Amino acid sequence: MLIAANWKMNLGKFEIDQFSNFLQSNEFHDKLDVCIFPPSVYINYLNTRIECLPISIGAQNCYHEFSGAFTGEVSPTSLKDIGCKYVLVGHSERRINNNESNLYVQKCTSAAIKSDLIPIICVGETLKDRESGTALDFIEKQLIESVPSSFENIFVAYEPIWSIGTGKIPSSSEIKEMHKHIKQVISSKFNNSIKVIYGGSVNPSNVSDILNVNEVDGVLIGGASLNPKDFLAIYHSTVKHLNLYFSNN
Ligand code: 13P
């Protein structure tokens, strides 16, 4: 189970200090993976602030080349070098704002794998696709074109675009149907298996219902991960959901 916090282009040094002080007061369970994706310029800083905690660091994107004349791009090898474990690839905000195509996402994913990072490929349909009944087909195409032909350990984040930052989430049966579909597509087209996490308006009040869907292997949290109290509330709901106990109770 993975609890991932995508801070997007938010928080600075001062807030990172506050956030990490708050995390120091929490007990973390080693059976539950936690990863924070800060803005890339703060990856190192956050890493130094939480290095004593069992929390991984990830990057919000990477380029598909490892070095060279690519001004402003972020190399996956550099990300590995500064301690990243995961990298988000093809987040819908990048697909929309930076015109990242499925093929581009596939190339970045392959480069991330070669750099020994664990990619989390983001997919998600628009409201129009959801309402016209084509969401499953849309996601299938995104997967077939974005996932590299061979891989060992990658995640898919199912993030319906209409759910991001809106407070609206799909019903449990819609989440179940889509996560099952994603796993089936990966199994039939790639002869492989994959973990699928859900993202889109996850908060402390709805996380239990989301985790109760069997096919959900974790959550990718945006807005609610910026507030350390909400983030830890989500963490503790997940601990409860998994029936994990801490050594001192
Ligand atoms: P929100 O949780 O703010 O809807 O964002 C989800 C997201 O985009 C995470 O990558």
Side-chain angles (χ1 to χ4, degrees), residues 105-195:
V105 172
Q106 191 202 105
K107 282 158 74 178
C108 296
T109 305
S110 296
I113 293 170
K114 283 194 188 123
S115 305
D116 206 16
L117 292 165
I118 302 173
I120 301 180
I121 301 176
C122 304
V123 296
E125 80 282 1
T126 60
L127 187 59
K128 197 165 152 243
D129 284 309
R130 172 59 59 184
E131 287 178 343
S132 63
T134 54
L136 294 176
D137 291 343
F138 181 83
I139 298 296
E140 182 160 343
K141 182 168 159 48
Q142 269 196 326
L143 288 169
I144 290 171
E145 295 179 1
S146 307
V147 174
S149 54
S150 113
F151 61 87
E152 273 175 25
N153 188 15
I154 64 176
F155 283 68
V156 165
Y158 170 53
E159 299 205 299
I161 294 172
W162 53 273
S163 172
I164 295 177
T166 59
K168 292 184 200 145
I169 62 165
S171 66
S172 292
S173 60
E174 285 169 331
I175 295 178
K176 188 180 181 71
E177 180 186 45
M178 186 59 86
H179 280 229
K180 246 178 134 167
H181 181 61
I182 292 170
K183 290 178 182 199
Q184 271 162 5
V185 170
I186 298 296
S187 161
S188 66
K189 306 279 180 196
F190 296 88
N191 199 17
N192 212 328
S193 63
I194 206 164
K195 292 215 164 62

Side-chain angles (χ1 to χ4, degrees), residues 5-220:
N6 177 9
W7 285 358
K8 308 190 180 185
M9 203 173 70
N10 295 295
L11 307 188
K13 264 181 149 175
F14 179 72
E15 292 89 358
I16 291 175
D17 285 344
Q18 287 183 320
F19 204 104
S20 19
N21 289 343
F22 200 83
L23 293 182
Q24 313 284 348
S25 61
N26 188 58
E27 192 175 0
F28 289 93
H29 207 289
D30 54 12
K31 293 232 160 44
L32 187 49
D33 277 347
V34 178
C35 183
I36 300 178
F37 298 79
S40 57
V41 288
Y42 293 119
I43 289 173
N44 239 337
Y45 187 67
L46 177 64
N47 218 353
T48 58
R49 296 306 319 269
I50 60 168
E51 62 191 351
C52 53
L53 298 174
I55 296 181
S56 309
I57 305 268
Q60 297 174 13
N61 76 302
C62 71
Y63 196 52
H64 52 74
E65 298 285 347
F66 305 102
S67 63
F70 304 107
T71 304
E73 296 296 353
V74 181
S75 160
T77 34
S78 316
L79 293 173
K80 184 70 191 176
D81 195 31
I82 58 166
C84 285
K85 178 173 178 188
Y86 294 93
V87 61
L88 299 179
V89 202
H91 190 283
S92 60
E93 285 148 16
R94 293 197 60 84
R95 288 178 183 265
I96 294 166
N97 299 330
N98 301 64
N99 290 319
E100 290 189 0
S101 65
N102 289 333
L103 178 62
Y104 180 88
V105 172
Q106 191 202 105
K107 282 158 74 178
C108 296
T109 305
S110 296
I113 293 170
K114 283 194 188 123
S115 305
D116 206 16
L117 292 165
I118 302 173
I120 301 180
I121 301 176
C122 304
V123 296
E125 80 282 1
T126 60
L127 187 59
K128 197 165 152 243
D129 284 309
R130 172 59 59 184
E131 287 178 343
S132 63
T134 54
L136 294 176
D137 291 343
F138 181 83
I139 298 296
E140 182 160 343
K141 182 168 159 48
Q142 269 196 326
L143 288 169
I144 290 171
E145 295 179 1
S146 307
V147 174
S149 54
S150 113
F151 61 87
E152 273 175 25
N153 188 15
I154 64 176
F155 283 68
V156 165
Y158 170 53
E159 299 205 299
I161 294 172
W162 53 273
S163 172
I164 295 177
T166 59
K168 292 184 200 145
I169 62 165
S171 66
S172 292
S173 60
E174 285 169 331
I175 295 178
K176 188 180 181 71
E177 180 186 45
M178 186 59 86
H179 280 229
K180 246 178 134 167
H181 181 61
I182 292 170
K183 290 178 182 199
Q184 271 162 5
V185 170
I186 298 296
S187 161
S188 66
K189 306 279 180 196
F190 296 88
N191 199 17
N192 212 328
S193 63
I194 206 164
K195 292 215 164 62
V196 186
I197 62 176
Y198 172 80
S201 295
V202 176
N203 63 39
S205 334
N206 62 22
V207 68
S208 303
D209 287 343
I210 294 169
L211 294 173
N212 275 332
V213 177
N214 271 339
E215 288 74 11
V216 171
D217 301 308
V219 282
L220 180 53

Side-chain angles (χ1 to χ4, degrees), residues 231-249:
F231 181 58
L232 285 186
I234 292 172
Y235 178 83
H236 285 291
S237 291
T238 313
V239 167
K240 205 165 146 205
H241 169 81
L242 293 172
N243 280 323
L244 296 176
Y245 295 97
F246 290 104
S247 46
N248 62 354
N249 56 37

